[in-house]
Amino acid sequence: MESTPQHAVIVGVQLQNETNFAYAMEELRNLAAACNIKVIGELSQKASRINPSHYIGTGKIQELSLMLEDEDTLVIFNDELTPSQIRNLESSLDRQVIDRTILILNIFAERAKTKEAQLQVEVAQLQYMLPRLTGMRESLGRQGGGAGLKNRGAGETKLELDRRRIEERISALQTELQTQVSRRQIQRKQRHKNEVPVICLVGYTNTGKSSLMNVIVETYHPGSGKQVFAKDMLFATLETSVRSIKLPDQKTFLLTDTVGFVSQLPHHLVKAFRSTLEEVTEADLLIHVVDISNPQHKQHMAVTAETLKALGADGIPTIYAYNKADLTDQPYPVVNEDSVILSAKQNSGIAELTGLIRGHVFNDYIQCEILVPFDRGSVVSYFNEHAHIQKISYEEQGTKLQLECRTADFERFRGDFIELPQ
């Protein structure tokens, strides 16, 4: 049963020349909702700089005090607060104060399912808390109990830990994470050795990456039960899921679903999730999924591009998949150079997207006709599995194949067959 939402007032400072302020505040509301917190008020201030001691000016603090209903009302700030700002605000307002970073960390703590994601979130939480121990003494004690902030015991339990023990804990977690990372790198090397192209779904949180992955899996592997979790909410997916997709003509690629991006993703988290996000930097092709029905989709695309750049993945070839076209009056499916307007929900545009994928990752294939002597049966078996055989016939000297195969495979077996003129 869903617990009753906690109430909160959101607060932000709009600096000069800041054009995305309304959008950032709207996103803060959505982040709060993802944490089961109901926003009952909003306060903003235009300023040339952030107030170093209290984030907002004294007049605004008085205005904010009047907006707070009861002692359980939270105050959520749109930027990451410094330890002294938290301390000063909590003593001025006598309320629990949290910032955008801890909100995102809490969502991640709630959603982390795999061992690796849980370790990554805990490292990020501890690194965030370390400099804030004094400022957060009171709020930490309350944090474990708040309805919307089930912080996996990061409340009372962390309160007793002194700085040294937190540092030791971070160090132990990082060692454990390193083991997980090494394991993943071995798997990744193995994939590269098999020369299977790796395609990564990237994009803002809640653009439909997991839904798109599920539709692709169901199209080419019906009834396989290999679907991934997909839900209409921020950060539904934290784990990296990899699925092998085999097209009807035997071409195979690996499709990876990654954690969604968000503006001002806390650097603690980017650092912690770097190993998960490394999948992106190793990809042969990125599919940038965009929710075209969202009025802010251009902003989302810019945030995704920025995050990819920070990860060092901005040079990888990219296809744009404009999803959720069924919620707009745009015609679909429509292909335009390296982009396709589609609807994962309506299962429309998948063939068009696959066509674009083919053009990018399967461009080293050749058409040929070969004659394989009967004593080289293993070569025929290999091509049956790894190539697209268009015609097969049995001649006196051996098996005649008309096929499309990878150039590398053609060269590898060149001594085992006779190439026939086409």
Side-chain angles (χ1 to χ4, degrees), residues 260-304:
F261 302 145
V262 67
S263 61
Q264 292 168 267
L265 194 62
H267 65 277
H268 307 283
L269 265 184
V270 173
K271 243 168 41 192
F273 274 79
R274 189 166 280 273
S275 59
T276 314
L277 295 167
E278 264 171 14
E279 292 282 348
V280 177
T281 62
E282 300 276 335
D284 297 288
L285 175 69
L286 301 181
I287 299 176
H288 182 161
V289 185
V290 180
D291 173 1
I292 198 169
S293 72
N294 191 312
Q296 304 285 355
H297 71 268
K298 283 201 164 68
Q299 173 69 24
H300 293 174
M301 289 171 78
V303 169
T304 302

Side-chain angles (χ1 to χ4, degrees), residues 32-171:
C35 246
N36 194 27
I37 296 171
K38 187 181 179 194
V39 175
I40 54 164
E42 182 176 320
L43 180 77
S44 59
Q45 176 174 25
K46 285 187 175 175
S48 55
R49 67 185 185 110
I50 300 279
N51 182 307
S53 67
H54 285 77
Y55 181 75
I56 48 175
T58 23
K60 284 288 176 187
I61 286 183
Q62 285 165 355
E63 203 179 315
L64 183 56
S65 295
L66 299 172
M67 291 173 75
L68 303 172
E69 292 182 339
D70 53 58
E71 65 262 19
D72 289 334
T73 307
L74 278 173
V75 191
I76 306 173
F77 287 82
N78 190 35
D79 293 284
E80 189 169 306
L81 298 171
T82 64
S84 62
Q85 283 170 339
I86 293 176
R87 202 164 48 242
N88 297 339
L89 284 163
E90 289 201 335
S91 77
S92 299
L93 298 166
D94 195 26
R95 290 289 182 281
Q96 184 187 348
V97 163
I98 62 171
D99 60 18
R100 186 188 185 92
T101 300
I102 202 76
L103 202 56
I104 295 175
L105 287 175
N106 273 294
I107 297 170
F108 273 60
E110 282 280 286
R111 307 274 161 79
K113 295 284 181 289
T114 60
K115 178 75 176 155
E116 187 175 7
Q118 286 164 356
L119 291 172
Q120 287 170 328
V121 172
E122 195 180 344
V123 166
Q125 285 178 321
L126 291 173
Q127 285 173 334
Y128 171 84
M129 284 171 185
L130 199 54
R132 294 171 174 79
L133 280 178
T134 47
M136 295 178 75
R137 282 284 166 203
E138 284 182 74
S139 60
L140 273 178
R142 290 196 289 256
Q143 208 166 313
L149 295 164
K150 296 187 278 293
N151 203 2
R152 295 252 168 117
E156 288 85 343
T157 51
K158 302 285 185 287
L159 195 54
E160 291 86 60
L161 289 176
D162 60 11
R163 192 174 296 272
R164 188 176 45 95
R165 281 182 58 203
I166 288 188
E167 280 167 351
E168 281 168 9
R169 176 79 181 138
I170 290 175
S171 168

